Amino acid sequence: VDGTGLSGLSAEELKGYGSWVRDPRTSFWMAGPTSVRLIKKIPAYSANPTGLLIFSVPAYEVNKLISSDTKLGKVLVMDEERHVISGNDGGLPDNQLEEPPLGG
């Protein structure tokens, strides 16, 4: 589904979604180079889902939600592999952290 309506995917386009289909989770977040995606399998909680709903939020929209006020410290949004997706210090996106920087 996009601005022009509902359409199917070509066989080539479907190949890119194989890992999401095989993922055992019914709902999960993925970070892309310029966006954050929420992937939900449908029907929800089915043993054999037949589709994927993919919601994509541009990274700049995530950045707008994070306050640039640093009185409370650094805010980082990371994926499961600790890749920084967004943050309020502007210098970390796309870096991978060994350990999250915690207050101190």
Side-chain angles (χ1 to χ4, degrees):
V1 177
D2 62 19
T4 61
L6 178 65
S7 62
L9 298 174
S10 69
E12 189 64 31
E13 291 171 316
L14 283 172
K15 288 180 186 176
Y17 298 103
S19 64
W20 294 351
V21 170
R22 290 185 298 276
D23 192 296
R25 299 172 290 180
T26 58
S27 178
F28 52 95
W29 291 90
M30 296 291 295
T34 60
S35 65
V36 180
R37 296 182 188 108
L38 172 61
I39 295 93
K40 296 187 99 23
K41 293 182 181 181
I42 55 171
Y45 305 106
S46 168
N48 299 303
T50 57
L52 296 173
L53 291 175
I54 303 167
F55 302 93
S56 184
V57 180
Y60 67 85
E61 290 294 339
V62 175
N63 286 337
K64 281 194 222 176
L65 297 172
I66 298 172
S67 173
S68 59
D69 183 0
T70 57
K71 288 181 208 170
L72 298 176
K74 241 183 234 189
V75 175
L76 298 176
V77 178
M78 298 185 292
D79 66 11
E80 290 175 342
E81 283 98 35
R82 294 189 177 147
H83 289 102
V84 177
I85 298 166
S86 187
N88 66 350
D89 73 348
L92 291 172
D94 296 328
N95 288 339
Q96 186 173 14
L97 301 177
E98 291 299 319
E99 290 295 325
L102 300 176

